[in-house]
Amino acid sequence: MINNVLRENNSQLPLEVWAGVECTVNRVGDEYLDQLECNGHATRLNDLDLFAELGIKAIRYPVLWEKIAPNGLENADWSWADERLGRLRELGICPIVGLVHHGSGPRDTSLVDPEFPEKLAVFARAVADRYPWVTYYTPVNEPLTTARFSGMYGHWYPHGRDDLTFARALLGECRAVALAMKAIREVNPSAQLVQTEDLGKTYSTPKLEYQAEFENDRRWLSLDLLCGRINPTHSMWGYLKNCGISEAELETFLQNTCPPDIIGINHYLTSERFLDEHTENYPAWTHGGNGHDKYADVEAVRVCAEGLAGPRTLLLETWERYRLPLAVTEAHISCTREEQLRWFYEVWNAAQELQAEGVDIRAVTAWALLGSYDWNSLVTKANGYYEPGVFDLRSRSVSSGESRSVSSGESPHPRPTAIAKMLQILANGHQPNHPLLETPGWWHRQERLLYPALSCNAMIGEGKKKTSSMPPASPRPLAIVGARGTLGKAFARLCEVRGISYHLLTRQDMDITDPVSVDAMFTQLKPWAVVNAAGYVRVDDAEREPHVCLQVNAEGPAILAAACAEHDVPLLTFSSDLVFNGAVSNPYVETDTVAPLNVYGCSKVLAEKLVLQAYPASLVIRTSAFFGPWDEYNFVTIALRQLSAGNNFIAAEDGIVSPTYVPDLVHASLDLLIDGECGLWHLANKSAIAWADLARLAAKQAGVSATSLISVPTEQLGLTAPRPTYSVLGSSRGELMPPLDSAISRYLEERI
């Protein structure tokens, strides 16, 4: 049953959805960086049930040498793999077992250890003996990429920075693949090799075409070695000999071929590079060279006027070179949610097009099911930088009932994102129809060009370059209510950046307190979702005109929610930290009892109740203390302006809040809206700080003297409406926002 999932003949069968867990265990110096520990999958068996709900046919899954047998096979601990592979078998998901994933093995070996291949083969045989029913293997993931990072660039152990170390590492890995598969096939003669590799392409100026041509030949090295293609007439034969590899070593691969049963292409936007000798056009950190010429090495997407070769071209090049079955074994982008959707769908469509043209392509793999950590530093540092994937780990499951504390009894709880919903649709043989898919990803839009645009057509290949057809931008916009407010303007600005079609509505365009006006908007715009960023925000004035505040903040959103429910259109609306009375000393979470102290807070409590009654699928976000780079009237901006001028600035010393950076709020809110989340969410930058201390922190980061800051109790500010002394927002659902320090740094950069 399971062994037939990855079929022998793909010509008449639909493209499959596969998936993978980012499982890198790489070594930097004496430290191992372990993705499975970071993402928590090391201790969460029930993740597999979540994966099964996606409808995936196969999963790239780790049985890693470094983790199973770090101290030799005689001391191996198989319990983790036993339990997980057994569960996958029960769920009917075919495992493609990986043995080394960007790693270098246990401490007693390395990629340049002459015995590395034989040692891995012994481990591979033990895996096959223990799991004889497993048929699909990737003994070494991305051998070329791993050899470059470990032997040429010095990022990973053994930190080589020369051609010989690179070549030794690569040949060792490829020989390890061949020996591992030989050992596995002694147990299971039908075992299949799914060999993954990143085949990013290089482009250049005319002067550097020789270097680009060399790098484009070198990108095939691992697959050519395994297929026995590197002979004295091969372009890389002389290069490898010049590196210090003997002819006898190269001839070993000619005599012991191990062609992949499926070639797995891992494609990332950053893998396609551009080389330019005009270094003055690029930042210093991009500068490098080859000993003959100095040049900048940059992401091709940022400079190529025509765009990239893209997944279709790279897959077709691989097919034409090898005529072996293909799969996309990693498809992922670190970006906003709609861009992640667009990228996966573009790869999927490219694969479907090629399959229709006769290319034997089996599947597209959603990579990083649980996201990934620290790939922004190429996993050379353990900074905890997280990129969400099919699931977002920035969510919590609270083990102690409805505990209001967010500091105890927590564990990460994978929350399915919009990508998970897309995978389910594709796995069921349907096509997703979200309007955001109809806009090209940023890699197709003009704003991608960070440097002077140059032509790459000659190197892309005029006859091969064919991007998937990209339909025009969606006529269905995101309706944003509140055109004149800080939040509405911020949504419009960032929707522009993210390629989200929108329509910004003033009160004249639509009055949310008038059902007829609201209905007319739906009839005219036919929005795919509505963001209510409008509201009565004058907290003190609300005490004098409560009826106006309640009408705008509560009755209007309720009318809007009823209309959204009628039209089956998602609604995002906003509430406030002022729904709480401040009688606690721990951050408020979504389930805490509301008890407002003022009219404004009462209006928000009523709004939450009415909106969720009228339309339970609404997304209601409580937030707090806005500051942002695009308006002149928020607390941080006014404080810095006054302190910079040497003027006195008065701020409360006892009101503790969680300030919210508006761009972070907008991005997180849009992601939740696209994910289809509903109910109450708290979004604020992680902090608990007094207003006066916020002014001091901003001044310190801005290099401004805070000597003219005057701290006073809130009661001395002469405010009409009472405020809670503590209104910090935490969350029992997930903390999606960066820390306050980071937010203020980005605020200062954006304003400059």
Side-chain angles (χ1 to χ4, degrees), residues 420-431:
K421 298 176 179 66
M422 173 188 276
L423 297 184
Q424 289 173 326
I425 291 170
L426 294 172
N428 286 323
H430 303 299
Q431 295 300 310

Side-chain angles (χ1 to χ4, degrees), residues 59-316:
I59 186 169
R60 296 185 58 200
Y61 205 73
V63 180
L64 299 182
W65 189 14
E66 295 96 330
K67 291 180 71 69
I68 300 295
N71 301 308
L73 271 177
E74 64 277 9
N75 299 307
D77 181 355
W78 297 96
S79 58
W80 189 89
D82 287 350
E83 190 173 34
R84 275 128 184 104
L85 290 183
R87 184 60 183 146
L88 287 173
R89 196 177 190 186
E90 293 171 357
L91 292 168
I93 300 174
C94 178
I96 304 169
V97 167
L99 306 181
V100 174
H101 198 99
H102 290 317
S104 52
R107 292 188 185 276
D108 67 349
T109 189
S110 79
L111 298 181
V112 294
D113 176 1
E115 297 181 2
F116 177 86
E118 287 79 8
K119 291 177 179 178
L120 180 59
V122 171
F123 176 70
R125 172 63 186 257
V127 173
D129 280 335
R130 196 166 188 92
Y131 313 109
W133 56 273
V134 170
T135 299
Y136 298 91
Y137 287 88
T138 303
V140 178
N141 173 63
E142 292 187 7
L144 180 68
T145 300
T146 303
R148 285 166 51 221
F149 285 17
S150 301
M152 185 176 290
Y153 306 147
H155 298 320
W156 304 336
Y157 190 81
H159 303 291
R161 294 180 179 272
D162 58 89
D163 284 343
L164 178 57
T165 307
F166 159 75
R168 287 267 175 240
L170 178 63
L171 267 65
E173 290 175 295
C174 290
R175 187 161 169 264
V177 169
L179 292 182
M181 289 308 300
K182 180 180 178 182
I184 290 166
R185 285 167 175 155
E186 288 172 357
V187 177
N188 181 356
S190 63
Q192 305 281 291
L193 170 61
V194 181
Q195 185 55 60
T196 58
E197 195 59 89
D198 184 331
L199 294 176
K201 199 165 184 176
T202 301
Y203 317 97
S204 72
T205 59
K207 179 179 179 180
L208 293 169
E209 281 185 11
Y210 74 96
Q211 182 65 30
E213 183 179 354
F214 166 76
E215 296 192 15
N216 285 329
D217 284 344
R218 188 175 62 188
R219 67 187 170 132
W220 304 108
L221 259 176
S222 58
L223 296 174
D224 279 358
L225 282 165
L226 291 171
C227 291
R229 295 169 64 105
I230 297 187
N231 57 34
T233 65
H234 192 286
S235 60
M236 288 288 105
W237 179 274
Y239 164 72
L240 291 171
K241 285 186 61 181
N242 289 337
C243 289
I245 304 300
S246 69
E247 288 190 11
E249 290 176 272
L250 296 176
E251 287 170 354
T252 298
F253 287 93
L254 292 172
Q255 298 159 6
N256 300 278
T257 61
C258 184
D261 296 283
I262 298 175
I263 295 177
I265 304 302
N266 302 344
H267 184 48
Y268 293 88
L269 282 171
T270 55
S271 299
E272 296 191 56
R273 313 298 299 180
F274 186 84
L275 311 179
D276 189 346
E277 72 273 15
H278 301 289
T279 54
E280 67 276 8
N281 293 330
Y282 307 93
W285 57 267
T286 68
H287 297 178
N290 56 16
H292 299 287
D293 288 304
K294 293 182 179 179
Y295 49 81
D297 181 340
V298 299
E299 297 170 6
V301 68
R302 300 300 189 180
V303 67
C304 286
E306 306 85 3
L308 300 179
R312 188 187 192 282
T313 297
L314 292 175
L315 287 165
L316 185 57

Side-chain angles (χ1 to χ4, degrees), residues 319-397:
W319 171 251
E320 291 177 345
R321 187 179 184 93
Y322 298 105
R323 295 286 166 169
L324 292 172
L326 305 178
V328 177
T329 39
E330 291 183 21
H332 171 72
I333 183 174
S334 173
C335 208
T336 54
R337 192 75 76 242
E338 72 286 347
E339 300 287 35
Q340 290 182 315
L341 292 170
R342 290 165 181 162
W343 177 246
F344 188 89
Y345 196 44
E346 181 171 329
V347 175
W348 178 269
N349 285 336
Q352 279 199 321
E353 287 177 12
L354 290 172
Q355 193 185 58
E357 294 170 14
V359 175
D360 186 355
I361 182 163
R362 307 292 176 85
V364 175
T365 305
W367 188 241
L369 281 172
L370 298 171
S372 58
Y373 286 84
D374 293 315
W375 272 99
N376 64 328
S377 65
L378 299 177
V379 282
T380 57
K381 301 174 183 176
N383 294 329
Y385 177 85
Y386 177 65
E387 304 170 18
V390 178
F391 295 88
D392 191 333
L393 292 178
R394 296 171 300 175
S395 302
R396 293 191 176 85
S397 59

Side-chain angles (χ1 to χ4, degrees), residues 37-75:
E37 296 296 331
C38 292
N39 62 35
H41 185 61
T43 58
R44 285 195 312 270
L45 177 65
N46 59 0
D47 284 355
L48 300 182
D49 295 88
L50 293 177
F51 301 163
E53 291 173 6
L54 300 173
I56 59 175
K57 298 294 185 183
I59 186 169
R60 296 185 58 200
Y61 205 73
V63 180
L64 299 182
W65 189 14
E66 295 96 330
K67 291 180 71 69
I68 300 295
N71 301 308
L73 271 177
E74 64 277 9
N75 299 307

